[in-house]
Amino acid sequence: MAKPIEPDDFLPADPAQARIGQLLFYDKILSGNRNISCGTCHHHDLHGTDGLSLGIGEGGHGLGPERRAGDIRKRIPRNAPALWNLGHKDIRILFHDGRLEISDLFGNGFNSPAEEWLPQGLDHIVAAQALFPLTAQFEMAGNPGENDVAGAVHDRIDAAWPILAARVRAIPDYAELFVEAFDEIETGADITIVEIANALGAFIVSEWQSHDSPYDNWLAGVPLPAKAERGRALFFGKANCASCHSGPLFSDQSFHALGLPAFGPGRTRRFDPMPRDVGRMGESDALEDAYRFRTPSLRNVALTAPYGHNGAWPTLDGIIRQHINPQAAREAWNTDLARLPDAPQIAAIDFIITTDGREQERSRRQIDITPISLSDAEISELVAFLTALTGKSAEDRPMGRPEAVPSGLPID
């Protein structure tokens, strides 16, 4: 029987630091143009996601499915991942392509896009991950020439973080909060990006814990409803879902190719401007990693549609069918299933990758799943089990969205 999740399984989080992190999470002061926050794409009202296949980041306006493109150049190329249980001590690798992982490679505790320039003193991997959306052009930084943050990132990734720290230091309310919460901070002038990241990490670790689902009750001896119980038996048996979605978080934290339909701008690289996403290979440069993506946790999965690294499937039924027969699902998929906010200026490239026959064939060849046969009734039972992974307190978070932030900027 699987081991239940306990409160002690999570990284420690100082409440005073988490309070600062809550404010920073929703404060647009951390974006290049002061127009988007972490909470825009990971909002409480949307269970820590944005409800979109591919989001509209910097330059957009509105929230979730109502978000609209302003003067943007590109959609965010991947689906906004959920934040549930990122603070579990078993977590060792993050992002769809695993580009952040616990490692001694660069002497700062992590293998990350910042390499040796990632600052020392980060409390844990959750604090480290909070830094990277701040430097991402289409997420929060903005375009070169628009602001000092974007310009600094263009020079080197770590050049932007002192600029953001200076913005926070200049706000008296933040300075006071940091002095009270961090022993090493004596005045506001001492605040660095490290304390900002650690505050954000403390908030994410404490705010998005979830381990009170019907499945957790089942682990304690309380039966599941009959349909969910049949789905549980399938999940751990015939359907073989647990071969990848294993452990208390329902993730092996490894990488697998599902053959998801490709669309969107792609996560392009400087030497590869094609609108494609090669997944783990973009981080490892190993051909065998092409089109493989990190196995997501399934905790509260019923709340965090759409599904897949690019949000290709709007329902659990759809993503299950993708898993049991990837090729048939690809053929059944159509562009109307993608949840993409209207953006006329970039719509021409949304599905252009589907016209590249060679790219389509490459991704078709790299599929790790052997098809199995499940009836519609069995798929419905699997959906019932996945729904039983929803925490009873998932809608009632300890801190939630603040009413205001110290910068005075509007909150999404």
Side-chain angles (χ1 to χ4, degrees):
M1 182 179 293
K3 178 182 179 293
I5 297 178
E6 304 288 349
D8 288 346
D9 293 330
F10 290 88
L11 298 164
D14 180 273
Q17 294 179 16
R19 167 60 178 159
I20 300 172
Q22 177 209 25
L23 298 172
L24 289 169
F25 190 85
Y26 278 98
D27 200 331
K28 296 176 181 178
I29 196 71
L30 292 182
S31 65
N33 290 320
R34 297 175 172 85
N35 61 1
I36 189 171
S37 72
C38 307
T40 305
C41 295
H42 300 280
H43 203 277
H44 277 81
D45 289 352
L46 297 163
H47 310 106
T49 66
D50 63 1
L52 301 170
S53 295
L54 305 175
I56 296 292
E58 200 286 329
H61 53 88
L63 182 66
E66 304 305 317
R67 190 161 176 78
R68 293 294 176 263
D71 182 19
I72 69 168
R73 301 183 187 180
K74 189 175 181 179
R75 298 186 194 276
I76 296 174
R78 289 179 180 157
N79 180 254
L83 304 178
W84 297 106
N85 295 332
L86 290 191
H88 194 282
K89 292 175 182 176
D90 285 352
I91 295 290
R92 62 183 185 272
I93 191 164
L94 290 174
F95 296 117
H96 290 295
D97 56 9
R99 64 188 182 275
L100 173 63
E101 59 185 317
I102 297 171
S103 168
D104 293 327
L105 181 62
F106 294 106
N108 50 31
F110 304 98
N111 179 8
S112 79
E115 299 179 339
E116 67 265 34
W117 300 301
L118 191 72
Q120 298 281 349
L122 296 169
D123 284 343
H124 41 63
I125 193 171
V126 185
Q129 66 83 32
L131 291 178
F132 292 101
L134 311 183
T135 60
Q137 177 178 353
F138 303 108
E139 293 183 36
M140 294 181 68
N143 302 307
E146 289 182 343
N147 62 73
D148 52 355
V149 172
V153 172
H154 189 70
D155 292 335
R156 204 173 76 184
I157 188 170
D158 62 320
W161 292 323
I163 298 171
L164 294 171
R167 290 186 186 180
V168 173
R169 284 198 300 269
I171 299 172
D173 287 350
Y174 273 131
E176 181 178 342
L177 289 168
F178 273 94
V179 169
E180 293 176 356
F182 288 85
D183 292 340
E184 67 270 27
I185 302 296
E186 295 184 1
T187 71
D190 298 329
I191 300 169
T192 73
I193 198 64
V194 171
E195 289 77 34
I196 290 170
N198 286 338
L200 285 165
F203 172 66
I204 295 168
V205 164
S206 59
E207 183 72 357
W208 300 102
Q209 295 182 22
S210 184
H211 45 89
D212 60 353
S213 69
Y215 173 74
D216 294 293
N217 292 338
W218 178 84
L219 289 174
V222 180
L224 288 169
K227 187 174 182 179
E229 172 58 27
R230 293 194 297 273
R232 186 196 64 79
L234 285 165
F235 187 95
F236 291 100
K238 175 183 175 181
N240 200 31
C241 308
S243 62
C244 300
H245 292 283
S246 55
L249 299 176
F250 291 86
S251 171
D252 61 2
Q253 299 188 66
S254 189
F255 301 86
H256 306 279
L258 306 185
L260 281 163
F263 61 94
R267 189 169 177 83
T268 55
R269 295 173 286 172
R270 291 182 180 179
F271 57 88
D272 180 16
M274 286 288 291
R276 61 182 161 206
D277 192 337
V278 295
R280 179 63 172 166
M281 190 180 85
E283 163 62 20
S284 69
D285 289 326
L287 185 60
E288 61 267 25
D289 288 337
Y291 310 107
R292 291 192 165 111
F293 295 87
R294 182 178 179 270
T295 307
S297 170
L298 298 182
R299 292 282 181 163
N300 292 326
V301 68
L303 303 177
T304 58
Y307 305 108
H309 71 272
N310 58 3
W313 291 102
T315 65
L316 288 171
D317 181 281
I319 193 66
I320 289 171
R321 292 179 188 277
Q322 177 75 45
H323 280 71
I324 65 173
N325 193 330
Q327 188 54 44
R330 282 170 67 109
E331 293 171 0
W333 188 86
N334 65 77
T335 58
D336 290 340
L337 294 171
R339 293 182 181 174
L340 300 176
D342 188 39
Q345 71 271 38
I346 56 174
I349 66 168
D350 280 340
F351 302 105
I352 196 168
I353 195 65
T354 64
T355 67
D356 186 330
R358 291 183 178 179
E359 177 64 13
Q360 295 300 307
E361 181 59 26
R362 279 190 287 266
S363 63
R364 269 194 291 266
R365 289 177 183 173
Q366 190 81 340
I367 293 177
D368 293 329
I369 292 175
T370 300
I372 63 171
S373 178
L374 294 179
S375 68
D376 290 347
E378 288 173 320
I379 291 171
S380 181
E381 288 163 356
L382 281 172
V383 170
F385 173 64
L386 294 177
T387 302
L389 300 179
T390 303
K392 66 180 181 181
S393 63
E395 305 273 3
D396 184 21
R397 296 292 80 214
M399 300 181 73
R401 170 186 175 275
E403 293 298 320
V405 292
S407 70
L409 292 168
I411 301 176
D412 287 326

